[in-house]
Amino acid sequence: MTNNKIFILVVSIFMSIFSVFGQEKDSRPNIVLIMGDDIGFSDIGSFGGEIEIPNIDRLASEGMRFTTFYNMAKCSPTRSSLLTGLYTGGNGAVHLANLTKKSGYTTIMSGKEHFDNWVPEYCKAENAFDHSFSFWATTEYFLPPSGKFSEPYFLNGKQLDPSNIKHEVSPMYQTDFITDYALNWLDESIKGEDKPFFLYLPYHAAHYPLQARPEDIKKYRGKYKKGWDELRKERFNKMQKLGVIPKNTQLSPPEKDLNRKGKPFVLEYKEYYPWDDLSEEKKDSLDLEMAVYAAIVDRMDQNIGRVLKKLEEENKLENTIILFLVDNGSCPFFKNQITDVQPGPANSYWSLRTSWANLGNTPYRQYKQAGHEGGSHTPFIAYWPHKIKPNTITDQPAHVVDIAPTFLDILDMEYPETIEGYATEPLHGTSLIPIFEGKKREEPDYFISGVRNMRMFRSGDYKIVQMNGGTWELYNLKTDPTELNNIASSYPEKVKELDEKYKTSPLGRMDIKKRKSKKGNKK
């Protein structure tokens, strides 16, 4: 063999090896995890709503919708469980960004961070992500007249003065500048090292206060004068046609008797009013309220569209998993702190009232914080080109604690044995990959949601749930998806069985410990 032929052979082998390794590296999918805030099950178009959100609906039509997906029914517990795969834990919890970073990913977060006290300090945004722009809990969308947000913003852990927040469009609007930061880091990652990325986008939308850009509000003005009663029926009919609710589902009636005083933990909602009993002036005011809410969701979708466009322009979308979910059901706690300003601008501070929240949670009962389906059961969409069959709907139930084990499967890695010097907490969920592949997953033994004294525990088709610390209610979700028939008195042995299971679960043990501690303090 001549020297030239040997040289060509060596180069050929080298290029083959390089190509193989390059393919392996490039084949690792990028991951985008997007979370909405206080958005009801039927507010999303592909789940029954009328709000114009073509980008989220695109993910649904080209991906998979889950008809039964549980969260923890409130902001901080949902985020804590989502990002660690634990119902509750402590030191030894592993953040999703810890997993992706260990697997060689660039990690980016831009948005709301809100954890329960048990989440370790090393899981905070500035410690878990390569790049982070974050804030804690509730804050305004526009910079308020005071010039200071109610909650500070942090760039990689350092507090930012509002005047130093970078934004592409003025006046600055939170949903937009959250995305600005994410896209800037995404651009750096794509044009820098050839590494896959994990982007976490937890939007504040559509949490109160009701503030939105005027052009977005204008799109929806007048569309809600039909009222919540008629719109609930319309959404329910659309949901039936879409196949996102079981065929035997009944539309729950409006919640009316909701002032339950004298209980350990009390949810009090404003009274329900039949729409037709309201004056035209009142209807117009309420139409504006819901139009601003729709505008907030619309603006979130526009920004999700910016992310999709970026991924397409960089030829990354085909190798990117996108997961969209919501932290809890719609929020019923009506607040209007500035009575002489209508919802919408920076100097207003409104929230949705109970009846609009009831529309968002169609066809289910109850709201944010509650373990009933209206609080704990929200949309989940999984998009993964060439892996998930487009426009599929699954009725297999799942939970936010299932996301962490799903990441492990996507990353093809073992769960670490230690983290920051602590033995790791065992994960509480199981992978969703079998469902993504169109297979039947072995259903977890149970799902838990709701805040303490509003807790739910589901095993199989049966579910026990509390309201305001009361006795367990029991529902068969197969025959009664909207929890209209409490069968606890007819099946006390089933209540006892589920109660015993709940008491041995991580959250059950924690609740019992807190209850005993509270009694001890009273003594």
Side-chain angles (χ1 to χ4, degrees):
M1 186 179 293
T2 65
N3 289 339
N4 283 342
K5 287 183 178 180
I6 293 172
F7 176 77
I8 292 171
L9 179 62
V10 170
V11 169
S12 177
I13 293 171
F14 176 81
M15 291 302 293
S16 296
I17 294 172
F18 179 84
S19 175
V20 168
F21 278 101
Q23 287 174 6
E24 285 180 357
K25 188 175 182 180
D26 292 342
S27 68
R28 295 180 299 169
N30 306 300
I31 306 172
V32 178
L33 179 60
I34 305 171
M35 175 174 277
D37 197 325
D38 287 5
I39 297 173
F41 184 74
S42 73
D43 283 328
I44 302 301
S46 52
F47 286 84
E50 68 292 316
I51 303 173
E52 297 175 26
I53 45 173
N55 297 295
I56 297 173
D57 287 346
R58 174 191 173 182
L59 297 177
S61 66
E62 297 180 14
M64 174 180 285
R65 280 167 283 176
F66 281 64
T67 63
T68 306
F69 190 84
Y70 291 112
N71 46 56
M72 294 304 295
K74 194 175 180 181
C75 303
S76 57
T78 292
R79 284 164 174 75
S80 303
S81 293
L82 168 71
L83 295 174
T84 65
L86 306 173
Y87 284 113
T88 186
N91 289 325
V94 181
H95 194 293
L96 295 180
N98 296 138
L99 298 177
T100 47
K101 191 180 291 187
K102 187 178 177 65
S103 193
Y105 280 56
T106 298
T107 57
I108 302 166
M109 173 192 169
S110 188
K112 176 176 178 177
E113 179 171 64
H114 193 189
F115 285 141
D116 283 346
N117 291 334
W118 61 262
V119 178
E121 189 69 23
Y122 62 78
C123 287
K124 301 294 176 62
E126 64 270 22
N127 299 322
F129 290 90
D130 295 320
H131 309 284
S132 65
F133 176 71
S134 62
F135 61 94
W136 191 263
T138 306
T139 190
E140 299 80 5
Y141 292 89
F142 292 111
L143 183 65
S146 66
K148 293 290 183 182
F149 288 105
S150 60
E151 288 288 338
Y153 285 83
F154 296 90
L155 180 63
N156 297 320
K158 295 182 179 179
Q159 186 170 334
L160 277 176
D161 185 274
S163 63
N164 292 329
I165 294 176
K166 294 180 181 179
H167 56 284
E168 294 185 8
V169 180
S170 295
M172 61 194 300
Y173 187 76
Q174 187 201 70
T175 308
D176 293 335
F177 62 71
I178 282 174
T179 312
D180 294 342
Y181 275 94
L183 289 177
N184 286 336
W185 283 321
L186 198 58
D187 191 57
E188 288 178 16
S189 174
I190 291 171
K191 290 180 167 54
E193 290 185 275
D194 187 18
K195 293 168 61 177
F197 57 81
F198 166 44
L199 170 61
Y200 176 45
L201 267 176
Y203 287 109
H204 184 218
H207 196 290
Y208 66 80
L210 294 177
Q211 298 177 355
R213 294 198 183 277
E215 62 270 28
D216 295 333
I217 298 171
K218 186 178 179 180
K219 289 173 63 175
Y220 296 97
R221 200 67 167 97
K223 290 188 176 182
Y224 292 97
K225 287 190 176 180
K226 291 179 181 180
W228 40 64
D229 297 318
E230 182 60 31
L231 283 163
R232 281 193 90 222
K233 293 175 186 175
E234 288 185 6
R235 287 192 182 187
F236 181 66
N237 291 335
K238 182 180 175 182
M239 297 169 92
Q240 289 178 311
K241 291 176 182 177
L242 288 171
V244 293
I245 53 176
K247 291 181 180 179
N248 64 332
T249 302
Q250 295 181 18
L251 179 61
S252 64
E255 299 278 4
K256 297 180 181 179
D257 182 22
L258 294 170
N259 269 336
R260 307 184 185 200
K261 297 186 177 180
K263 297 290 184 181
F265 181 81
V266 181
L267 283 184
E268 296 187 29
Y269 309 136
K270 296 293 182 182
E271 191 67 38
Y272 160 81
Y273 301 100
W275 186 262
D276 291 340
D277 291 353
L278 303 173
S279 68
E280 290 305 311
E281 183 181 8
K282 185 65 173 177
K283 288 177 181 178
D284 185 66
S285 174
L286 291 169
D287 170 77
L288 174 61
E289 187 179 295
M290 187 61 191
V292 178
Y293 174 84
I296 294 172
V297 178
D298 186 308
R299 176 60 57 167
M300 178 182 71
D301 184 76
Q302 292 176 49
N303 278 278
I304 291 171
R306 293 173 63 199
V307 175
L308 296 181
K309 182 181 178 183
K310 179 65 177 176
L311 295 175
E312 283 184 311
E313 289 174 347
E314 301 292 343
N315 296 315
K316 296 292 183 181
L317 189 59
E318 287 291 294
N319 192 34
T320 299
I321 302 163
I322 303 176
L323 304 177
F324 173 82
L325 67 159
V326 177
D327 62 351
N328 47 250
S330 197
C331 179
F333 305 119
F334 177 64
K335 296 180 180 180
N336 177 14
Q337 297 180 4
I338 306 173
T339 57
D340 59 344
V341 180
Q342 289 293 297
N347 62 335
S348 67
Y349 206 99
W350 289 62
S351 64
L352 280 187
R353 64 196 64 219
T354 307
S355 295
W356 283 135
N358 196 36
L359 169 66
N361 294 336
T362 304
Y364 300 110
R365 290 183 53 212
Q366 289 299 326
Y367 312 88
K368 174 181 179 175
Q369 297 197 40
H372 291 81
E373 298 293 288
S376 61
H377 180 154
T378 46
F380 178 64
I381 297 169
Y383 167 93
W384 193 358
H386 314 300
K387 296 286 186 177
I388 292 176
K389 184 179 178 182
N391 201 27
T392 54
I393 296 174
T394 178
D395 60 1
Q396 295 186 61
H399 194 286
V400 292
V401 296
D402 295 327
I403 300 298
T406 303
F407 267 50
L408 289 176
D409 273 358
I410 292 169
L411 301 170
D412 192 24
M413 68 179 291
E414 295 293 325
Y415 188 58
E417 294 182 359
T418 62
I419 181 80
E420 298 292 326
Y422 300 100
T424 54
E425 295 263 5
L427 295 175
H428 294 155
T430 59
S431 175
L432 300 175
I433 294 297
I435 302 178
F436 292 172
E437 294 174 343
K439 301 172 185 175
K440 189 74 175 176
R441 177 179 78 146
E442 183 178 348
E443 187 175 311
D445 190 39
Y446 60 81
F447 302 102
I448 310 177
S449 187
V451 299
R452 192 164 64 92
N453 291 327
M454 306 285 289
R455 198 73 79 198
M456 81 81 155
F457 182 89
R458 173 177 175 171
S459 184
D461 294 330
Y462 287 92
K463 169 184 174 180
I464 51 174
V465 60
Q466 284 182 310
M467 186 66 186
N468 290 327
T471 58
W472 287 119
E473 300 170 9
L474 175 68
Y475 299 97
N476 182 333
L477 295 180
K478 186 174 184 179
T479 59
D480 181 20
T482 46
E483 303 169 309
L484 301 180
N485 184 25
N486 177 11
I487 56 175
S489 60
S490 300
Y491 298 93
E493 70 285 353
K494 178 56 74 172
V495 174
K496 183 178 180 182
E497 174 195 331
L498 295 181
D499 177 54
E500 290 300 322
K501 275 188 175 183
Y502 163 69
K503 287 176 180 176
T504 62
S505 71
L507 265 178
R509 293 194 300 269
M510 183 195 75
D511 287 348
I512 292 168
K513 184 178 180 180
K514 285 186 176 180
R515 198 174 301 125
K516 288 180 178 178
S517 175
K518 190 174 182 180
K519 287 181 179 179
N521 290 336
K522 285 183 178 180
K523 290 177 182 178

